[in-house]
Structures are given as structure tokens and as C-alpha cells.
Amino acid sequence: MDKTILIIEDEVAIVEILTFNLEKEGYRVISALDGEDGVRLAKEQNPDLILLDVMLPKMDGFEVCKYVRSRMNTPIIMLTAREEEVDKVLGLELGADDYVTKPFSRRELLARIKANIRRRVLDDNTETASQEEGVLRFGDLVINTNSMGVTKNKKPVDLTPREFELIKFLATQPNKVFSREELMEKVWNFEFYGDLRTVDVTVRRLREKIENNPAEPEYILTRRGAGYLFQTV
Ligand code: CA
């Protein structure tokens, strides 16, 4: 699903270059040349992120920011032209999530956009997850068995499908020891003939991704001679 970015900026040349670059990155782009139109589009289209200029006709960027923030949690990146504007963005506590100073580099802006959209998605996931079935929470580790996503300290953890199946299997039956043979059969879905070290290797990789200190794991523990377990406190 394409993410929609709303650009509110009165300099047509900037709108054009931003639109071109963002569309190239796969975003859907809509734009407004003044503050009033920007607010209208924000309400109608509920974009995933807003790029907001400060000096705008009809309604300036500060007012737009305040207005949008009072009604929606859309991330807002302010496009500021001068240091004074930066001071004002920070000082007014308008609720802007970020700002970039013109002239900005394409790479920097894209990185900020990505980071702000991701943060918003994670916040949303965390909010809905609390009442959602299939979401397992262990302190700062969250395993969403519906979306097959794992986050650690709200940051996504990149797991292979097998790593995910393994942590899901262990975490849905916490504090219970499973032998490597059992894990082979349940997680790898075949009767065991193969190399049990596959299990050890996968556990090790998983620990490197989810444990604070993989050498002293807090989640996936080894019971020597017995197997592995997912520990909850
Ligand atoms: Ca302007």
C-alpha cells in the first residue's frame, strides 16, 4: 500500500521537485499551494505524512501545524528557510515532529520522511496491539503473530520466516522446555532425520537479534541436555 505524502508549499518549483523525487521512491504525493487548501487536503485525504512550509499564503505553516496537530496525529515535517524559523518551530511547541532547513538534501529529506512514517506506524501498532489478539508482549519485545512482525524497543526486528516461526512457537508456550528434536518437528515441520545443529544456529541468530546481550540471553534460554525455552518473568 502506497504511503501518501501531502506537501504544503507555495513555491511551485519546490513542489515539483519534491513530487518528482517522492513519486520515484514509491510515495503517492498530493500538494497544496496555500495553508487553507493544505488543511482541507489533510482532513480529506488523511495523509501518512505532511511536509509543511512555514511562509504560506492564507494561513501560515505554524497555524496549519497547530490546526492539524489538534485533530490528527499525522507526522509533520516543517520545511524551514531560516534559523529564526527553526527557533520558532522548536520554541512554539506546535507539535511538529521534525524539521529540515532549506536548502535540504534529497537524501536527508527522504531519510527523515521514512523515519517519521515508520515511527507513526509503530506507535499505531503498539496502540491497537494492546487490545489485539495474537500480540505477545514481553517487556520491550513485542511479537505480533498476525502481521508476523517483531519489535524490540519499538524498532522492527528483521527476522527470517523460520526465525519468526521459532520465536512464535516458543513464546506462545513460555517457560516450557522443548528439545531440539521437538523444535525440529514442530517448527521445521518434519520428522527428525537431519542435523539438530540447525536448531542451535537458528536460536543463536535469533538471540543476536532480540537479546540485549546474546551471550547472556534473557528470553531464549538453554537448558543443558534438555533443550530451549522462552522465559517470561
Ligand atoms: Ca513559502
Side-chain angles (χ1 to χ4, degrees), residues 11-229:
E11 272 178 72
V12 177
I14 295 182
V15 174
E16 281 173 356
I17 187 102
L18 283 174
T19 303
F20 174 79
N21 280 304
L22 292 171
E23 284 180 346
K24 215 168 66 181
E25 295 295 314
Y27 294 107
R28 182 176 160 255
V29 181
I30 49 178
S31 55
L33 296 170
D34 65 65
E36 277 178 18
D37 200 34
V39 164
R40 180 184 62 79
L41 277 177
K43 283 192 289 190
E44 281 174 17
Q45 305 266 328
N46 189 23
D48 295 285
L49 182 132
I50 298 172
L51 292 177
L52 178 59
D53 185 30
V54 174
M55 296 302 289
L56 287 167
K58 292 186 186 169
M59 191 175 175
D60 72 23
F62 298 122
E63 292 172 75
V64 173
C65 187
K66 248 164 73 187
Y67 182 93
V68 170
R69 184 49 73 243
S70 65
R71 288 160 178 80
M72 314 162 75
N73 69 344
T74 317
I76 299 172
I77 301 180
M78 304 283 292
L79 307 173
T80 54
R82 301 187 309 266
E83 272 315 301
E84 305 96 83
E85 290 181 358
V86 173
D87 292 345
K88 209 169 168 195
V89 168
L90 299 175
L92 285 179
E93 291 174 4
L94 302 161
D97 296 85
D98 209 344
Y99 68 90
V100 290
T101 310
K102 294 175 186 174
F104 40 80
S105 84
R106 193 179 70 91
R107 260 197 26 214
E108 188 198 356
L109 183 63
L110 287 172
R112 299 285 186 90
I113 288 173
K114 246 191 200 154
N116 278 285
I117 289 182
R118 193 168 55 218
R119 194 177 311 144
R120 156 88 181 283
V121 169
L122 285 176
D123 286 352
D124 284 359
N125 285 352
T126 316
E127 276 163 29
T128 43
S130 38
Q131 311 98 14
E132 205 184 328
E133 256 182 88
V135 176
L136 309 166
R137 304 174 162 280
F138 309 96
D140 53 14
L141 182 73
V142 179
I143 304 169
N144 187 326
T145 61
N146 306 309
S147 65
M148 289 183 64
V150 172
T151 58
K152 167 94 178 162
N153 292 326
K154 293 194 166 188
K155 293 191 196 77
V157 181
D158 190 20
L159 298 183
T160 65
R162 188 71 71 197
E163 288 162 355
F164 181 80
E165 285 306 317
L166 179 61
I167 193 170
K168 180 180 137 188
F169 181 81
L170 291 170
T172 46
Q173 300 160 91
N175 305 313
K176 181 169 183 242
V177 180
F178 293 95
S179 69
R180 296 188 297 170
E181 288 85 349
E182 281 173 305
L183 293 173
M184 256 287 166
E185 188 186 327
K186 306 284 194 215
V187 177
W188 275 257
N189 292 320
F190 56 81
E191 297 293 327
F192 171 68
Y193 327 98
D195 192 339
L196 286 173
R197 279 175 301 181
T198 307
V199 178
D200 303 328
V201 170
T202 310
V203 167
R204 198 173 64 224
R205 289 211 191 108
L206 205 43
R207 280 175 176 159
E208 278 163 12
K209 293 178 182 180
I210 63 161
E211 300 283 358
N212 293 320
N213 177 4
E216 286 173 33
E218 295 159 49
Y219 295 111
I220 302 177
L221 308 192
T222 306
R223 284 285 174 268
R224 204 162 288 284
Y228 295 106
L229 76 148

